[in-house]
């Protein structure tokens, strides 16, 4: 994320991440998701004031009307508040909602996985499981990163994730970044992987002993199991994410655009 900025005679404002627009998706939606991820991934000492509509529109390369629609979406979600003459501000108590949404852009995945307190509970070399070997052909071992996420307010564990990453990419990952950002963002914005697509699978499962322990739920209680496979521009799988969501805290939502 770029550092906070100050314009002449104006207070320091929050600086959102950049965004590579996909012309196949609504621009306002992409902008809202990118700004949402930036807000949820901000540092505690980052400014709460957002730049003006004009400045944000220029930052994202969209019209003021598009930017206004994106801000309206974030306001409806409770992430920002807008005050006439004073400006637009991030809501300090804003927290990510529970539904798991698969809506068609990398920034949506980043936004979905941002905003919770994350602890890296382990990382290191690990064998590629047989059921995932087809995605890493010729690779017997990857680097596994295990993270536990907690609700920001209650501290309650909400999900735990394991990412399997190609070793040559793992060498470029700073584990400290994973305590703040999702793996997708680290691979794209820090390591520089040009992500072409992510395939997602969500299924109902029963909590195994490890999941029950980490999420503090009864053994065999229902969970949502998410598998996401990230591919680079050459069609090569670079990351396999397996996330276990508490079934009593999350739902699964798919939005289909008829246009």
């Amino acid at each position: 994320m770029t550092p906070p900025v100050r314009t002449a005679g104006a207070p320091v404002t929050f600086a959102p991440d950049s965004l590579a627009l996909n012309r196949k998706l609504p621009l306002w939606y992409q902008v809202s998701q990118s700004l949402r991820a930036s807000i949820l991934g901000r540092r505690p000492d980052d400014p709460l004031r957002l730049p003006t509509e004009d400045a944000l529109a220029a930052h994202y390369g969209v019209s003021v009307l598009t930017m206004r629609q994106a801000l309206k979406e974030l306001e409806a979600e409770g992430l920002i508040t807008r005050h006439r003459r004073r400006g637009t501000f991030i809501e300090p108590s804003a927290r990510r909602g529970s539904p798991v949404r698969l809506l068609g852009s990398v920034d949506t995945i980043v936004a979905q996985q941002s905003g919770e307190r994350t602890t890296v509970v382990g990382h290191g070399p690990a064998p590629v499981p047989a059921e995932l070997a087809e995605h890493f052909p010729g690779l017997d071992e990857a680097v596994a990163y295990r993270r536990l996420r907690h609700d920001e307010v209650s501290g309650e564990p909400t999900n735990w994730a394991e990412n399997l990453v190609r070793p040559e990419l793992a060498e470029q990952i700073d584990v400290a970044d994973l305590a703040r950002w999702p793996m997708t963002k680290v691979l794209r914005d820090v390591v520089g992987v040009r992500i072409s697509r992510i395939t997602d699978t969500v299924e109902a499962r029963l909590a195994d002993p490890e999941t029950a322990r980490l999420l503090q739920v009864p053994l065999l209680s229902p969970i949502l199991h998410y598998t996401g496979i990230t591919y680079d521009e050459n069609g090569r799988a670079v990351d396999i994410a397996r996330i276990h969501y508490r079934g009593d805290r999350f739902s699964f939502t798919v939005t289909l655009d008829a246009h």
Side-chain angles (χ1 to χ4, degrees):
M1 184 181 296
T2 52
V5 294
R6 181 193 297 272
T7 56
V12 174
T13 59
F14 178 76
D17 293 342
S18 59
L19 169 66
L21 291 169
N22 180 346
R23 297 295 168 177
K24 294 182 180 180
L25 293 172
L27 297 182
W28 69 267
Y29 171 73
Q30 295 178 71
V31 169
S32 70
Q33 291 301 304
S34 179
L35 185 52
R36 183 180 190 271
S38 296
I39 289 172
L40 292 175
R42 72 191 187 279
R43 300 181 182 89
D45 57 349
D46 279 343
L48 294 177
R49 180 191 289 269
L50 287 179
T52 64
E53 284 184 356
D54 288 345
L56 284 170
H59 173 77
Y60 286 114
V62 298
S63 69
V64 173
L65 185 62
T66 295
M67 192 66 241
R68 193 168 296 158
Q69 188 174 3
L71 291 173
K72 184 178 179 180
E73 178 78 4
L74 298 178
E75 184 178 27
E77 192 177 343
L79 287 178
I80 62 172
T81 55
R82 311 184 75 188
H83 305 275
R84 189 177 180 183
R85 296 191 179 91
R86 288 182 53 210
T88 301
F89 296 83
I90 297 169
E91 177 55 50
S93 61
R95 49 191 289 228
R96 184 176 65 80
S98 292
V100 177
R101 295 187 173 94
L102 309 180
L103 301 178
S105 77
V106 172
D107 283 286
T108 299
I109 300 296
V110 171
Q112 183 65 47
Q113 297 174 356
S114 300
E116 292 183 308
R117 180 163 53 84
T118 301
T119 303
V120 179
V121 295
H123 72 284
V128 176
E131 67 271 20
L132 300 175
E134 63 179 294
H135 304 295
F136 283 162
L139 191 63
D140 296 327
E141 190 176 78
V143 178
Y145 297 87
R146 294 160 55 87
R147 289 167 296 152
L148 182 63
R149 298 189 180 104
H150 297 79
D151 183 272
E152 286 281 8
V153 176
S154 68
E156 182 181 52
T158 59
N159 65 87
W160 78 272
E162 180 180 52
N163 291 79
L164 291 173
V165 179
R166 288 184 172 274
E168 68 272 19
L169 299 176
E171 292 177 354
Q172 305 174 59
I173 293 175
D174 185 340
V175 176
D177 286 338
L178 293 176
R180 178 184 172 204
W181 291 324
M183 179 65 78
T184 305
K185 180 176 177 64
V186 172
L187 287 173
R188 184 189 66 177
D189 298 345
V190 179
V191 178
V193 175
R194 300 187 66 175
I195 296 173
S196 63
R197 62 191 173 97
I198 299 175
T199 62
D200 303 293
T201 302
V202 179
E203 58 184 318
R205 290 190 180 181
L206 300 179
D208 56 36
E210 183 174 31
T211 297
R213 177 181 64 83
L214 288 171
L215 298 185
Q216 300 177 15
V217 297
L219 183 65
L220 301 182
S221 60
I223 63 167
L224 286 176
H225 180 82
Y226 163 91
T227 301
I229 304 173
T230 300
Y231 297 86
D232 65 14
E233 61 182 341
N234 298 315
R236 183 185 67 158
V238 295
D239 168 46
I240 301 175
R242 295 185 292 182
I243 308 177
H244 310 261
Y245 294 94
R246 283 182 54 154
D248 61 344
R249 290 291 307 274
F250 290 85
S251 61
F252 172 54
T253 301
V254 175
T255 297
L256 300 177
D257 189 345
H259 301 288

